[in-house]
Amino acid sequence: MPYAFTGETSLLVEAKALQAGAINVFHKSVDQIDRLVVYAEESLVSRLVRRWAEDDLTGLDNFHAFRRAVVAEMTAARDRHDRQHASIFSLLFIDADRFKAINDNYGHLAGDMALKEIARVMRTSVRPTDHLCRKGGDEFLVWLPGADQAKALEVGREIQAAITGTSIQAESGEAISFSVSVGASEVTRDEIGADVEQVLESLIDKANKSEMDEKALLGLPGRPRR
């Protein structure tokens, strides 16, 4: 196992060693509480956990981490009827419009830039208590505790408007505009049954169907319903 030995007392040296892959650092006496903070933030295990939970491209949670957080939140709300836990939840399904055309016409680098921009707008449009993830491809999810479906759609429209008002730049210098479609679903605490993961899957399916209905109204190509 990699270890680091130093005569320095600086915690910066310890942080750099941990970032480089050291498991433990031996040096002169340093306040142990400060060391614990550094290890919590910079240890290899901590960084691996963060990497495991993140989508590599956008930095949002990946679907696995999102699902674990949402299932835990719904389970706690179902089992503990108190003010600390929401009594209603909603989910947004966000899908980039004509995303294949961006990749085909401008290249995958432009497609990646569009996905990053969607993620950036999503971050600025939600509360700290909400959960975001890239589900896969050009699909994103937003979990909104304490919000009903109507409120979720308000947030979704704000995200739509912000994305419509932005653009990315192709390698040729051309500005590329793009948009997203949004669907929503909701569940109350009393509707959360024993199989919480199935409840989440049902919410995703309903929001996805709602999003595809919106695409149909706008004349946009949609995916086959699952």
Side-chain angles (χ1 to χ4, degrees), residues 32-43:
Q32 296 304 305
I33 298 298
D34 290 340
R35 288 193 71 201
L36 284 173
V37 172
V38 171
Y39 270 80
E41 293 179 347
E42 302 296 347
S43 70

Side-chain angles (χ1 to χ4, degrees), residues 49-116:
V49 168
R50 288 199 298 269
R51 184 176 179 84
W52 167 84
E54 284 184 0
D55 172 63
D56 289 339
L57 178 65
T58 64
L60 299 179
D61 281 353
N62 59 33
F63 181 61
H64 185 78
F66 175 87
R67 180 174 57 198
R68 288 191 61 172
V70 169
V71 166
E73 199 163 84
M74 280 197 288
T75 301
R78 181 197 64 193
D79 297 342
R80 303 172 192 169
H81 287 232
D82 56 45
R83 293 183 179 178
Q84 292 183 347
H85 298 90
S87 60
I88 191 168
F89 303 90
S90 56
L91 180 135
L92 283 175
F93 191 107
I94 298 174
D95 180 24
D97 299 330
R98 298 190 177 97
F99 184 70
K100 185 177 184 300
I102 295 177
N103 283 330
D104 291 346
N105 296 330
Y106 301 99
H108 288 278
L109 179 60
D112 288 350
M113 290 172 61
L115 295 176
K116 290 178 181 179

Side-chain angles (χ1 to χ4, degrees), residues 59-191:
L60 299 179
D61 281 353
N62 59 33
F63 181 61
H64 185 78
F66 175 87
R67 180 174 57 198
R68 288 191 61 172
V70 169
V71 166
E73 199 163 84
M74 280 197 288
T75 301
R78 181 197 64 193
D79 297 342
R80 303 172 192 169
H81 287 232
D82 56 45
R83 293 183 179 178
Q84 292 183 347
H85 298 90
S87 60
I88 191 168
F89 303 90
S90 56
L91 180 135
L92 283 175
F93 191 107
I94 298 174
D95 180 24
D97 299 330
R98 298 190 177 97
F99 184 70
K100 185 177 184 300
I102 295 177
N103 283 330
D104 291 346
N105 296 330
Y106 301 99
H108 288 278
L109 179 60
D112 288 350
M113 290 172 61
L115 295 176
K116 290 178 181 179
E117 182 64 9
I118 292 170
R120 183 195 69 77
V121 171
M122 288 171 61
R123 285 193 193 94
T124 63
S125 303
V126 301
R127 305 162 300 179
T129 53
D130 299 332
H131 298 289
L132 306 172
C133 85
R134 180 186 176 200
K135 187 174 185 293
D138 59 350
E139 297 176 344
F140 298 83
L141 300 174
V142 184
W143 181 252
L144 301 108
D148 61 15
Q149 185 168 331
K151 178 60 180 177
L153 283 172
E154 285 183 24
V155 175
R157 301 300 179 225
E158 291 175 5
I159 293 172
Q160 275 185 313
I163 290 172
T164 301
T166 190
S167 64
I168 57 174
Q169 192 172 48
E171 291 182 327
S172 63
E174 180 181 352
I176 307 170
S177 298
F178 55 98
S179 61
V180 296
S181 295
V182 176
S185 58
E186 71 174 27
V187 65
T188 65
R189 175 165 50 198
D190 294 337
E191 293 171 331

Side-chain angles (χ1 to χ4, degrees), residues 4-17 25-31 35:
F5 298 85
T6 177
E8 294 286 339
T9 59
S10 170
L11 287 172
L12 178 61
V13 173
E14 184 156 1
K16 292 294 185 184
V25 181
F26 299 91
H27 54 41
K28 294 179 180 179
S29 177
V30 173
D31 185 272
R35 288 193 71 201

